[in-house]
Amino acid sequence: DRGADAAWAAVVPVEPFAVYRLSGWIRAQGVEPAGGKGALLNIHEIRGAATSAVTGTTGWKRVEVLFRTGEIDALQVDCLLGGWGLVRGRAWFDDLALELVEKKTLPLPSITIDARKEKSSFSGYIYGQFIEHLGRCIYGGIWAEMLEDRKFFLPPGTEKSPWRVLGGAGVLSMDPKDPFCGKWSPRIALSGEKEGGLAQGKLGLVDGKEYVGRAWISAQGGLRSVRIRLAWGEGREESASLVVESPGPAWKEADFRFTSGRTTSEGRFEITGNGKGSFRVGPVSLMPADNVHGMRADTLKLLKELDSPIYRWPGGNFVSGYDWRDGIGPRDRRPPRWDRAWKAIEPNDFGVDEFLLFCRILGTEPYITANSGLGDADLAAKEVEYANGATSTPMGRLRAKNGHPAPYGVKFWSVGNEMYGGWQLGHMPLAKYVKKHNRFAKAMRAVDSSIKLIAVGAVGKWDEGMLAHCAPCMDYISEHFYQGRMPGLLAHVRRIPDAVRRIARAHRDYRRRIPALKGRNIPIALDEWNYWYGPHLFGNLGARFYLRDALGIAAGLHELARQSDLFFMANYAQTVNVLGAIKTSKTAAWFEPTGLALMLYRKHFGARPVETKTTPLIDALAAWDRKRSHLTLGVVNPTLRKRRVLLKVKGALLAGPAVLYRITGESPLAFNDQAHPDRVRVERVLLEKLGKTLVLAPCSVNLFRFPVRAQGEPGEKKGKREALAPYQNPAFPPQNR
């Protein structure tokens, strides 16, 4: 009676490229539209596939609609009361039927390649990645710290604190006087009768593995000793410890190294005092001894295999409340903060210097997002100066004081993140934000005129306003999209390339219509893109991905390459755990199927697309490699049938043997986990002989690499072609290419 837009729904498999009739009977009682249509039948995925709406009070009425499925192999049928708005009343649905009217006979699948018709070479930056201070992407994914809330933002023993108080009630107080960092330090007061202190459990330990750490301690009242202990069982013999004798009132750093005697997910870290008196605890840390400058060795190994050319950081929504100055200097002295965007503790252990070291370790390019939410232009300009300024500048001197005298030379900077959205800290109307963007751009370029600026974009009025009023103050404009799950394999895979095409169409239209773009080329930085659906199994937004998602990512890369004149950069969001291409547990890391697709194309796909025509159902694109010695062909088979595909190539004579790199699995829902990290994997197959057909496994990503014996047709005049070379920043050498 208040109105609803609601439905009973069922997912039904259908034939693609077919005509169906949906029919049924509807009875209505007091159905009154309040913005919606009424009571009707609707196909969720197909625009316009809806019956007429029944309103008022009626007896049973028959309704029907004819529709074409196109590239859809499953769809959702809705018995709908509402329809793009609210409806009041009551409706009954009965005797539904979905009937196949006409099925199109499809020809034998074929791929036709004309290697002479080259398109614009696409930027390697379309294989970019994005990391954000969210969930377990950095902390618990990239960063090796095992202890949560190691700087005691929350009082131990409270509901949300990971720390437990040992020694009974009353031993703990939070002391605000002279804290090591933050607003207070835990103080443990002991009577001398028994030990007391703090403990954190549920740590992942591996038998025989070494762990290192430190704890800052100060003691008063003649306390005899403080014990630091790592336990993998309940008995004293199932632990290792370090005793700090007679700690004094000055803060003292105690370093330790322990070796676990068992593999467990229930490890425990304790810090306790013995005797009469009190002691305070400053920051504590525990990491695997094989950490690389504080980063997880297992995660870094996979990230090097992924070999992304660029990483965007630190957000995402996080950046709009982030002050980069909190994340520099000695890590233990950095204050913990409350992340207002994602409602979590930010320990500030991974800041700008750690991010840029991360990029150097991986041999990748850094891309930093400045805070245009709650931040101001001066804060952004100082961040540019900290990264790129000479030591004669104030921020350059500060960077040198923090141990990094040489400028980093960060080239890519974005002014803010998703400032069009009400969920964003500091969100404001477009008319105000265009002025703010321009202030930021001028302030940042005044510090370093060589930087490249990415503006916040979103298809529609926001894009149009930014391009009309800020074009001289940007080099690229960002776009974001996330796609949910679709019923049916084919429709699910098509969601990603369809989203890329939608953005491309919009920007081609802008270039025709917006006067400020005349004579100006502003490419797209698609700096967040991915699927997003399913339960969070790996922390906040830690959704699992499946084989079907890998097919969509591969098809999306095809579309980005097809639109190479528009898309300069694409950053898969995010990299680790949070919608990640890589997932981690406490003690292991593995590739998701989506990560395998990104890695495969990054390593083996060509750099210059050529004209590629396909029949329906399959998605394919061919490209020359950088030396033009091989023609590569990516093919996605988003069906559950093995496909034989006819291959026709013009302008190049292929030679064997060829190599096929293939990603497939037992079903579209195949996935990897810690117990089975290679359930979905990249298989390498040597093709000794080349025939006229290619064989595609069901539900598969296929990347063929063909040696080329000759280019062009017989008698064709051949001009000199330069080899293609990627952009490289000497400050961040590509170590892994």
Side-chain angles (χ1 to χ4, degrees):
D1 54 4
R2 294 184 179 181
D5 188 5
W8 293 107
V11 173
V12 187
V14 293
E15 293 286 340
F17 303 103
V19 178
Y20 280 84
R21 177 187 294 111
L22 173 64
S23 64
W25 295 79
I26 300 175
R27 179 164 66 91
Q29 178 181 330
V31 173
E32 300 177 6
K37 292 181 177 296
L40 66 153
L41 304 180
N42 173 64
I43 301 299
H44 197 74
E45 291 78 19
I46 303 176
R47 182 173 296 180
T51 69
S52 57
V54 177
T55 59
T57 299
T58 69
W60 288 103
K61 284 190 173 183
R62 187 179 187 277
V63 294
E64 71 170 51
V65 62
L66 287 172
F67 63 92
R68 297 182 182 275
T69 55
E71 288 191 338
I72 289 180
D73 54 353
L75 47 79
Q76 180 176 308
V77 179
D78 297 330
C79 298
L80 182 60
L81 179 63
W84 305 274
L86 301 184
V87 167
R88 292 185 291 271
R90 187 177 293 184
W92 292 259
F93 301 82
D94 205 351
D95 204 13
L96 269 64
L98 184 65
E99 302 167 277
L100 178 63
V101 175
E102 178 185 336
K103 180 180 176 181
K104 184 178 180 180
T105 301
L106 297 176
L108 177 70
S110 66
I111 301 171
T112 302
I113 300 169
D114 193 334
R116 301 163 300 183
K117 295 182 178 179
E118 298 182 6
K119 300 181 180 294
S120 302
S121 60
F122 59 85
S123 161
Y125 290 126
I126 70 167
Y127 299 113
Q129 294 286 314
F130 167 44
I131 59 175
E132 181 178 359
H133 294 239
L134 161 61
R136 290 174 50 214
C137 180
I138 293 176
Y139 303 113
I142 294 170
W143 197 242
E145 182 59 62
M146 297 166 60
L147 298 176
E148 296 181 30
D149 194 14
R150 75 180 193 91
K151 299 175 183 176
F152 304 103
F153 182 86
L154 300 173
T158 55
E159 181 182 1
K160 294 186 178 180
S161 172
W163 292 96
R164 184 164 53 95
V165 180
L166 305 176
V171 302
L172 172 72
S173 62
M174 300 305 291
D175 188 348
K177 185 179 180 181
D178 185 30
F180 193 94
C181 69
K183 63 181 180 179
W184 52 30
S185 297
R187 179 185 291 276
I188 304 295
L190 302 174
S191 64
E193 296 179 2
K194 59 180 179 178
E195 285 189 343
L198 304 174
Q200 185 172 144
K202 298 189 179 301
L203 303 179
L205 302 175
V206 175
D207 186 19
K209 191 176 181 71
E210 284 192 315
Y211 298 89
V212 296
R214 62 191 178 278
W216 289 91
I217 303 163
S218 75
Q220 295 78 31
L223 192 76
R224 288 199 301 271
S225 64
V226 170
R227 182 187 299 273
I228 302 168
R229 180 169 175 255
L230 181 66
W232 47 88
E234 292 304 318
R236 282 287 178 182
E237 70 282 0
E238 294 184 294
S239 67
S241 61
L242 169 72
V243 176
V244 182
E245 300 288 354
S246 304
W251 285 109
K252 179 179 181 179
E253 182 180 16
D255 297 315
F256 52 82
R257 178 181 290 264
F258 301 137
T259 300
S260 176
R262 183 195 298 176
T263 296
T264 179
S265 60
E266 296 295 329
R268 191 170 67 258
F269 178 84
E270 298 176 355
I271 181 165
T272 58
N274 183 32
K276 189 174 182 180
S278 67
F279 71 99
R280 292 189 300 161
V281 184
V284 291
S285 177
L286 178 69
M287 293 186 178
D290 64 355
N291 76 85
V292 182
H293 299 288
M295 290 168 254
R296 284 180 60 157
D298 54 357
T299 305
L300 286 180
K301 179 179 181 294
L302 297 186
L303 292 174
K304 287 182 178 181
E305 292 181 39
L306 187 63
D307 195 25
S308 171
I310 191 166
Y311 276 80
R312 175 177 178 246
W313 170 89
N317 295 357
F318 170 81
V319 75
S320 292
Y322 179 56
D323 188 332
W324 65 271
R325 295 170 298 187
D326 288 338
I328 59 174
R331 276 197 292 271
D332 288 347
R333 291 288 184 182
R334 299 176 193 174
R337 302 292 192 200
W338 182 248
D339 169 16
R340 292 172 56 188
W342 297 111
K343 307 296 187 290
I345 298 168
E346 169 52 48
N348 279 312
D349 284 339
F350 191 94
V352 61
D353 291 308
E354 285 77 19
F355 170 64
L356 294 171
L357 177 60
F358 167 83
C359 290
R360 282 188 169 159
I361 290 170
L362 295 181
T364 190
E365 190 84 8
Y367 164 20
I368 294 178
T369 306
N371 177 359
S372 69
L374 301 183
D376 57 31
D378 181 64
L379 183 68
K382 286 179 177 175
E383 187 174 17
V384 174
E385 186 175 278
Y386 185 86
N388 295 353
T391 52
S392 58
T393 65
M395 291 297 103
R397 281 194 297 273
L398 179 59
R399 182 192 65 243
K401 180 183 176 183
N402 290 332
H404 309 280
Y408 289 113
V410 178
K411 182 182 181 72
F412 296 101
W413 297 79
S414 65
V415 180
N417 173 78
E418 294 184 2
M419 295 309 301
Y420 48 82
W423 58 87
Q424 203 68 217
L425 297 170
H427 163 69
M428 61 182 62
L430 175 62
K432 291 181 65 177
Y433 186 74
V434 294
K435 298 175 183 177
K436 187 172 188 179
H437 171 90
N438 291 343
R439 286 197 303 273
F440 268 67
K442 290 172 183 176
M444 294 167 75
R445 284 177 171 171
V447 174
D448 185 348
S449 61
S450 71
I451 61 175
K452 299 295 183 182
L453 292 181
I454 294 94
V456 171
V459 167
K461 295 297 182 183
W462 185 275
D463 267 354
E464 293 174 7
M466 291 293 291
L467 291 168
H469 298 289
C470 306
C473 294
M474 68 174 80
D475 298 288
Y476 309 96
I477 187 166
S478 76
E479 296 286 354
H480 294 174
F481 75 75
Y482 294 93
Q483 296 296 313
R485 181 184 64 83
M486 288 285 283
L489 178 59
L490 185 57
H492 183 76
V493 170
R494 295 308 307 162
R495 295 214 73 174
I496 297 288
D498 286 351
V500 174
R501 272 196 300 274
R502 173 182 60 83
I503 292 170
R505 282 196 300 268
H507 280 262
R508 296 192 192 284
D509 180 53
Y510 301 152
R511 294 182 177 205
R512 287 191 297 267
R513 290 193 294 107
I514 298 176
L517 297 182
K518 187 175 182 181
R520 192 185 300 274
N521 179 31
I522 299 180
I524 302 166
L526 182 66
D527 48 22
E528 291 186 34
W529 70 288
N530 200 356
Y531 288 104
W532 184 346
Y533 67 94
H536 301 165
L537 304 176
F538 303 92
N540 193 10
L541 303 192
R544 167 174 283 153
F545 289 125
Y546 303 88
L547 175 60
R548 64 185 177 193
D549 305 309
L551 272 62
I553 295 301
L557 292 172
H558 290 173
E559 195 60 38
L560 286 166
R562 291 187 192 105
Q563 311 285 350
S564 57
D565 59 322
L566 287 178
F567 288 91
F568 171 76
M569 185 190 302
N571 304 81
Y572 176 95
Q574 294 185 15
T575 305
V576 182
N577 288 325
V578 178
L579 305 177
I582 292 167
K583 293 297 195 297
T584 69
S585 68
K586 296 175 183 178
T587 57
W590 60 92
F591 271 117
E592 287 277 51
T594 53
L596 295 175
L598 291 162
M599 177 182 66
L600 174 62
Y601 275 73
R602 171 67 178 144
K603 286 186 176 181
H604 298 297
F605 194 57
R608 194 175 192 95
V610 299
E611 182 180 276
T612 310
K613 297 180 179 179
T614 65
T615 51
L617 295 182
I618 59 174
D619 187 307
L621 183 67
W624 286 108
D625 71 351
R626 293 198 178 278
K627 295 181 180 179
R628 288 193 171 88
S629 61
H630 288 76
L631 194 65
T632 61
L633 173 64
V635 190
V636 174
N637 177 14
T639 73
L640 297 178
R641 291 175 50 192
K642 182 169 75 172
R643 298 280 176 182
R644 290 190 174 274
V645 180
L646 184 64
L647 178 64
K648 303 174 185 177
V649 180
K650 301 177 182 178
L653 184 60
L654 306 184
V659 176
L660 164 62
Y661 299 95
R662 180 172 58 205
I663 303 173
T664 189
E666 294 181 355
S667 80
L669 293 178
F671 63 88
N672 292 336
D673 56 20
Q674 182 173 352
H676 302 94
D678 297 319
R679 187 184 282 121
V680 180
R681 62 186 181 275
V682 177
E683 300 171 343
R684 185 180 185 274
V685 181
L686 189 65
L687 305 176
E688 294 285 356
K689 294 183 179 180
L690 298 180
K692 294 183 179 180
T693 60
L694 304 175
V695 178
L696 309 178
C699 189
S700 61
V701 176
N702 306 268
L703 200 157
F704 297 88
R705 184 172 171 82
F706 300 109
V708 175
R709 187 178 303 161
Q711 298 180 27
E713 299 295 319
E716 179 185 355
K717 186 176 180 180
K718 299 177 179 61
K720 184 178 179 182
R721 294 176 176 177
E722 294 182 1
L724 301 167
Y727 168 80
Q728 292 182 3
N729 184 339
F732 297 88
Q735 299 172 2
N736 312 306
R737 315 281 196 268

